[in-house]
Amino acid sequence: MILTLGCSLTIQSNLGTSPFDALLVGLSLQVGLTIGSWEFIIAAIMIFFNALLKRKRPEILGLLTAFITGLGIDLWLLLLQTLIQPEHILTKLLCVMAGLTVIGLGTAIYLHANFAPIPVDRLMLILQELTGMNILFSKTLIYLFFLGMAFAFNGPIGIGTLLTVCLGGPILNYFSPLVGNGLSILSASAYKNKGKNHSI
């Protein structure tokens, strides 16, 4: 839900979204259905593509993550449309940057949860594993691919898209170790408290 709030903020900024979200918005405008619905449909296609790359069975559990993500985007957009309507370039830029920051934080949190990441992020992890690239390069490569797809479907591409391509990877790279360390501290604290309870 943190991740989808960030996605919705970038969409609401009207300055352009991430290439993947731009593709979803373009499909929604050109073909129909909600943005969240296309999130689920593209996810289903990518699950089988990722399975081919890994030569393993499709990660069907990823559909649950994609469903929650799609639902979250639709719900946040419904709420933000009445609360946030930036009109000036500065407020739009602030909206984009807030969205990118929240996306990075949300992605880092759920990736560390190790619970069936959405297929786009699973692809990022697969590329990282197969090629040895770090998160920064693998995510940027995926962004560039979806940028071409978004152009094909007239998705909202603009300054926000450029910022996402340039900053999305570094922001995730920044939050990933911080979240990992934070979760480690929480786990250690919980284990220590559990030990105290047992000793009592």
Side-chain angles (χ1 to χ4, degrees), residues 6-18:
C7 294
S8 301
L9 283 169
T10 59
I11 292 172
Q12 197 64 19
S13 73
N14 290 321
L15 272 185
T17 67
S18 74

Side-chain angles (χ1 to χ4, degrees), residues 17-163:
T17 67
S18 74
F20 182 70
D21 290 334
L23 172 60
L24 300 180
V25 174
L27 286 167
S28 179
L29 293 174
Q30 299 294 325
V31 183
L33 301 179
T34 66
I35 296 171
S37 298
W38 280 110
E39 163 81 30
F40 183 78
I41 293 169
I42 298 297
I45 296 170
M46 291 197 68
I47 280 175
F48 290 97
F49 177 74
N50 290 344
L52 288 174
L53 284 179
K54 289 285 287 183
R55 297 180 181 178
K56 291 184 177 180
R57 290 183 178 180
E59 191 177 17
I60 302 301
L61 195 58
L63 288 175
L64 175 60
T65 314
F67 174 77
I68 294 171
T69 304
L71 183 64
I73 290 174
D74 284 344
L75 289 176
W76 279 121
L77 283 175
L78 189 63
L79 180 63
L80 291 177
Q81 282 172 0
T82 58
L83 296 177
I84 300 176
Q85 294 182 347
E87 296 180 358
H88 304 291
I89 185 67
L90 180 60
T91 54
K92 289 182 177 184
L93 281 172
L94 287 173
C95 195
V96 167
M97 292 308 300
L100 290 179
T101 304
V102 175
I103 286 172
L105 175 61
T107 303
I109 290 172
Y110 92 84
L111 284 179
H112 278 286
N114 290 321
F115 181 83
I118 56 176
V120 174
D121 289 317
R122 173 61 78 192
L123 177 59
M124 176 187 67
L125 296 174
I126 290 173
L127 286 177
Q128 185 182 14
E129 179 183 335
L130 294 178
T131 64
M133 293 186 295
N134 63 18
I135 288 178
L136 168 62
F137 288 110
S138 58
K139 193 171 184 71
T140 302
L141 185 64
I142 293 169
Y143 274 156
L144 292 174
F145 170 76
F146 281 110
L147 183 63
M149 295 290 290
F151 266 118
F153 286 95
N154 296 318
I157 296 170
I159 298 173
T161 310
L162 180 62
L163 289 173

Side-chain angles (χ1 to χ4, degrees), residues 184-197:
S184 296
I185 293 171
L186 285 174
S187 297
S189 177
Y191 182 78
K192 186 176 180 181
N193 291 333
K194 184 178 179 181
K196 286 182 179 179
N197 291 336

